[in-house]
Amino acid sequence: MKKTLRYNYRLNPTPEQEAKLVEFGATARGIWNLLLSENMRRYEHDKTFLFYKDMASLLKDIKTFEEFNWIKAFDSAAAQQVARDLELALKNVFTKGRLQRFPKHKISYKKKKRHNDSFRAVNNSHCIRIENGAISIPKVGKIPIILHRKLASKIKTVTIQYHHGKWGCSITQEVECKTAKQVLKTITGFDINSKQTVVGSDGFVVDNPKFLKQSKTKLNQLQRQLARRTKGSNRWQKTKQRINKLHGKISRQRLDFAHKISRQITNENDILVFEDLNVKGMQKFNGSMVADNVMGLITQLSKYKTELEGKLYHEIGRFEKSTGVCSECGQHHVLTLNDRNFTCTACETNQSRDLSAAKSIAKTGELDLIAAGIVARVPPTSQQKSAIKTKVFELSKFAVGTEKKEAA
């Protein structure tokens, strides 16, 4: 089985290339706004939308008019990708089970005071390639690239974006997943909370590094400095860029931390069980703490890493009780956020709130996977008996097909 992944690299364009990238990003934004306006006009007229084929034909037809010469200078395949993105955004609005609003017009650079537009180029006929430390982009040329890791496979698409004062590209490639493991020897539940980033049912604990809090003093200093500047002046722009770069540093620290933790727990376990957290709802009560804890990011990274390694990832239901559940007898307790430890009222066992929740998540996940027929408990062999006591599972075998069942 193959999986499409993104690999991010830093770009060092020349001033001429940078101007071209800014222009192409603005063109992609203009095409989005043009096609969205046409869809809105069409819907008001006859309650229908334009989809990819119609939008691609429209772009081809309007190129003949003088008013739309700016589209001619843009890569035609990249323009078609904008149409595909808009089609997906329109379909998601009317898809059941998704909470996505109707797409909006993208705001111009002059109003947002930054050029963070992006565009996506497609590798048709091997037009995108990396040679001699540079990546070739259609109608832009060869841009120097910092290739800190080798390519995994053939390039499919490249997304160019200016983010936090740096140019970068996101390259999509197909990666071969490892064969699914038939015997799974460890199952671990993970509780994610605001105090510790991750607490595992096997005793694994990672504290929240709080990168935003570490840079809070410097950030407050720059924000006060910005307030004293005349808005729009050169010194105001320089301070604004320094704030943007500091936010970029914090973002990269969080991403690096999440990658390292997700890789560690994926390597050490065969079955990973997480909670389906409502991170957006949690941010309403404690936004800065939740955002600084990369809660949702760790689960996303762990999910695709387990698929690559041929292991198993599972999420228990959002409304399953885990906090306050005794890990010994299963008694439920009502706890406040300040109660980090509690004593069970039934068996009188004193235990950690987070460790008990992680063990409860592991038990619930195990029951879900067995009930869904994804795994089955098997008796340990004589060699396994002499080692540390671990639960051993085996992937279920089916009469039709070789694919695994997915958890509901």
Side-chain angles (χ1 to χ4, degrees):
M1 185 181 74
K2 291 186 178 181
K3 189 174 183 63
T4 302
L5 298 180
R6 289 185 175 273
Y7 294 86
N8 299 320
Y9 299 93
R10 184 73 58 81
L11 297 178
N12 291 322
T14 63
E16 295 78 12
Q17 291 174 336
E18 187 172 0
K20 199 72 173 178
L21 294 176
V22 172
E23 178 188 343
F24 277 13
T27 303
R29 170 169 39 85
I31 293 174
W32 172 280
N33 293 337
L34 175 68
L35 296 176
L36 180 58
S37 298
E38 180 62 23
N39 271 285
M40 295 172 68
R41 186 195 65 81
R42 184 68 63 91
Y43 184 77
E44 290 179 359
H45 180 258
D46 56 5
K47 303 298 180 183
T48 61
F49 287 111
L50 293 174
F51 290 103
Y52 171 69
K53 289 186 178 180
D54 300 321
M55 288 188 283
S57 299
L58 177 63
L59 290 175
K60 185 178 179 180
D61 295 338
I62 64 177
K63 283 183 180 180
T64 58
F65 296 95
E66 186 177 354
E67 295 85 353
F68 297 101
N69 282 335
W70 52 278
I71 299 180
K72 288 184 178 180
F74 193 49
D75 180 25
S76 58
Q80 292 170 2
Q81 292 300 304
V82 178
R84 289 187 184 276
D85 291 341
L86 182 56
E87 179 192 48
L88 181 61
L90 291 171
K91 287 182 177 180
N92 287 341
V93 174
F94 303 100
T95 301
K96 289 185 178 181
R98 296 188 66 95
L99 299 176
Q100 188 162 329
R101 297 181 180 179
F102 193 83
K104 297 181 180 180
H105 290 89
K106 295 185 178 180
I107 303 174
S108 66
Y109 160 65
K110 290 184 179 180
K111 188 171 182 179
K112 295 289 287 184
K113 303 296 182 190
R114 63 185 183 217
H115 52 281
N116 61 344
D117 300 313
S118 63
F119 67 95
R120 186 167 66 253
V122 185
N123 190 15
N124 294 327
S125 302
H126 199 56
C127 62
I128 301 175
R129 55 191 178 274
I130 297 178
E131 295 175 346
N132 300 324
I135 181 171
S136 59
I137 304 296
K139 296 195 174 183
V140 178
K142 295 182 178 180
I143 306 175
I145 183 174
I146 302 176
L147 203 65
H148 63 276
R149 63 186 300 177
K150 295 181 179 180
L151 298 180
S153 62
K154 181 183 176 183
I155 298 174
K156 296 182 66 177
T157 63
V158 176
T159 302
I160 310 294
Q161 186 178 24
Y162 182 80
H163 195 56
H164 293 306
K166 301 289 184 180
W167 284 99
C169 67
S170 179
I171 301 176
T172 58
Q173 303 170 77
E174 284 190 345
V175 180
E176 190 73 33
C177 298
K178 292 183 180 179
T179 305
K181 298 183 68 173
Q182 296 300 315
V183 178
L184 307 165
K185 296 183 180 180
T186 56
I187 179 170
T188 309
F190 294 95
D191 177 65
I192 298 179
N193 56 78
S194 58
K195 189 173 180 63
Q196 288 94 11
T197 300
V198 177
V199 177
S201 59
D202 58 352
F204 176 77
V205 178
V206 178
D207 291 327
N208 183 3
K210 300 180 181 179
F211 295 113
L212 179 62
K213 190 175 182 179
Q214 293 177 14
S215 302
K216 195 67 176 177
T217 303
K218 183 65 175 177
L219 186 61
N220 290 341
Q221 178 186 355
L222 290 174
Q223 288 173 338
R224 288 195 298 269
Q225 193 178 94
L226 183 70
R228 294 194 296 267
R229 307 286 189 232
T230 302
K231 189 173 183 179
S233 64
N234 289 335
R235 299 182 75 184
W236 184 89
Q237 294 287 0
K238 289 181 181 179
T239 307
K240 189 77 173 178
Q241 290 177 2
R242 291 179 65 188
I243 294 175
N244 193 21
K245 288 182 179 180
L246 182 57
H247 278 297
K249 177 184 176 182
I250 297 170
S251 176
R252 291 189 296 272
Q253 285 177 325
R254 289 173 176 171
L255 183 61
D256 178 69
F257 171 74
H259 269 295
K260 288 178 179 177
I261 296 302
S262 59
R263 171 52 61 191
Q264 183 178 352
I265 62 179
T266 302
N267 290 345
E268 294 176 354
N269 303 280
D270 290 341
I271 304 177
L272 280 66
V273 184
F274 282 87
E275 292 179 286
D276 181 17
L277 292 174
N278 183 12
V279 179
K280 189 174 182 180
M282 296 171 67
Q283 286 179 334
K284 294 181 180 179
F285 299 98
N286 198 354
S288 59
M289 180 64 74
V290 173
D292 205 21
N293 206 10
V294 292
M295 288 184 172
L297 186 58
I298 287 180
T299 57
Q300 293 174 11
L301 298 179
S302 300
K303 185 176 182 179
Y304 91 81
K305 283 180 170 65
T306 52
E307 292 177 0
L308 289 177
E309 297 296 328
K311 298 181 179 181
L312 203 55
Y313 175 92
H314 178 67
E315 286 185 357
I316 66 172
R318 179 171 295 183
F319 302 104
E320 292 284 347
K321 179 72 172 177
S322 61
T323 303
V325 178
C326 177
S327 59
E328 299 295 331
C329 64
Q331 178 70 22
H332 289 202
H333 304 80
V334 178
L335 304 178
T336 64
L337 289 176
N338 294 326
D339 298 329
R340 308 315 303 180
N341 294 278
F342 69 97
T343 302
C344 179
T345 57
C347 63
E348 299 183 353
T349 304
N350 187 276
Q351 52 201 305
S352 168
R353 164 204 183 106
D354 303 321
L355 180 59
S356 176
K359 291 180 179 178
S360 175
I361 292 169
K363 290 179 182 178
T364 305
E366 179 183 341
L367 294 175
D368 289 347
L369 292 170
I370 294 175
I374 299 175
V375 297
R377 289 285 297 272
V378 295
T381 62
S382 58
Q383 293 180 351
Q384 291 167 343
K385 285 181 179 179
S386 61
I388 300 174
K389 291 183 179 180
T390 57
K391 294 181 179 179
V392 181
F393 301 88
E394 188 178 54
L395 285 182
S396 300
K397 299 178 181 179
F398 307 101
V400 181
T402 58
E403 65 274 11
K404 295 186 298 182
K405 290 184 180 179
E406 294 185 359

